[in-house]
Amino acid sequence: MEKMKIVATARQVPERVVSNDDLAELMDTSDEWIYPRTGIHNRHVVENENTSDLAAAVAEKLLAKAGWAASDLDFIIVSTMSPDALSPHTSAIVQGKIGADKAFAFDINAACSGFVYGLSVASSFLSSRRYQKGMFIGAEVLSKLVDWKDRTVSVLFGDGAGGVLLESTDEEKGLLSEELQAYGDRGEAILTGRFANKNAFAGEISPLDPYFHQDGRGVYSFATREVPKVLDKALAKADLQADDVDFYLAHQANHRIIESMAKNFGQPMEKFPTNMVEYGNTSAASTAILLDELQESGQIKPGMKIAFVGFGGGLAIGAQVWQL
Ligand code: ACO
């Protein structure tokens, strides 16, 4: 076991709620189409905030919950596929906003697996004992990457952020195992934020296409087929059976994908909580928002074993098992 603890969790979602019925006024869609296929009724969408605003709000809440000063932090990592800008990076904006004067900060992007990959990096810093106190936040404003005329993707996503404070410890708690896997040869299945080739010498300029595109069916079958294999490896590394895990917190892309995962492992849906009904798919933020909700409702307790499972763009998958 790599000894460390999750000291606090927090979330921030924009106030504005957009329902499936609201979308039906914008495009040819309906709650009857969206909900049965995805499990999504609502998503929260920003008005004036950007990704760093949501992340900074999470950062302030985390510090307040733990009673830490910003200057206690050794590092801040933000996982996002929808940063404010490529430079400055979103974590640096957060560091400046909260005045974490001793912390270094950097972003990672592993799309919808970003929560698990970010936790992996943060936990390595702590288990190596190079650093003692860290903040990790998944934050997304996906509404700016979506073509709001494209009903095939715009109905799926939402904006939000969630995060954790982590600390190295001598207590018997921490990371039990992980399995990370990339499938770059299948990357075309999820595309977004593609830049044009625009230098002064280029003969032909590629068209700019910032919007989100996906092979929905391809992603669905990839997730239902490959995610269980990766999770299985993570459980085996920790010498655990599926029954030994108290909760599986999976990326909130689609209710049917999560149902299929639960069935695959012979586990009741109560062990695979979901909240995409209210937030849609918030990519790197989704698991962190769910974790905070379960923490707040008292469902997650010290000593429990929790598996985090991410999957999506890259393509990529990651699974970790923690003892809280
Ligand atoms: N409203 C009404 N009709 C729609 C909508 C909509 N919002 N979207 C598509 N349709 C129509 C299509 O045009 C198509 O019509 P046609 O048959 O006349 O051509 C029909 O519905 C069926 O479309 P499909 O795309 O085949 O629908 P499917 O049953 O596959 O469901 C869905 C689509 C929900 C996207 C499903 O494929 C899915 O959930 N896939 C997984 C997606 C996912 O998890 N992505 C994660 C992204 S991860 C990341 O890294 C960000």
Side-chain angles (χ1 to χ4, degrees), residues 188-208:
E188 298 278 312
I190 299 176
L191 298 170
T192 193
R194 284 170 293 161
F195 294 107
N197 174 14
K198 255 188 172 175
N199 73 65
F201 311 101
E204 199 173 313
I205 307 293
S206 322
L208 177 74

Side-chain angles (χ1 to χ4, degrees), residues 194-245:
R194 284 170 293 161
F195 294 107
N197 174 14
K198 255 188 172 175
N199 73 65
F201 311 101
E204 199 173 313
I205 307 293
S206 322
L208 177 74
D209 188 353
Y211 292 130
F212 195 99
H213 302 276
Q214 72 170 351
D215 165 10
R217 296 237 160 150
V219 174
Y220 187 91
S221 63
F222 165 77
T224 49
R225 219 174 291 155
E226 301 298 333
V227 173
K229 294 183 197 164
V230 173
L231 179 53
D232 214 26
K233 284 186 187 166
L235 292 174
K237 280 182 178 174
D239 208 11
L240 293 173
Q241 304 298 316
D243 287 351
D244 299 330
V245 173

Side-chain angles (χ1 to χ4, degrees), residues 66-85:
W68 289 9
S71 57
D72 291 337
L73 292 171
D74 295 314
F75 64 84
I76 300 171
I77 302 172
V78 170
S79 191
T80 183
M81 61 183 285
S82 53
D84 292 23

Side-chain angles (χ1 to χ4, degrees), residues 109-122:
N109 173 10
C112 293
S113 307
F115 180 77
V116 173
Y117 282 67
L119 262 189
S120 175
V121 176

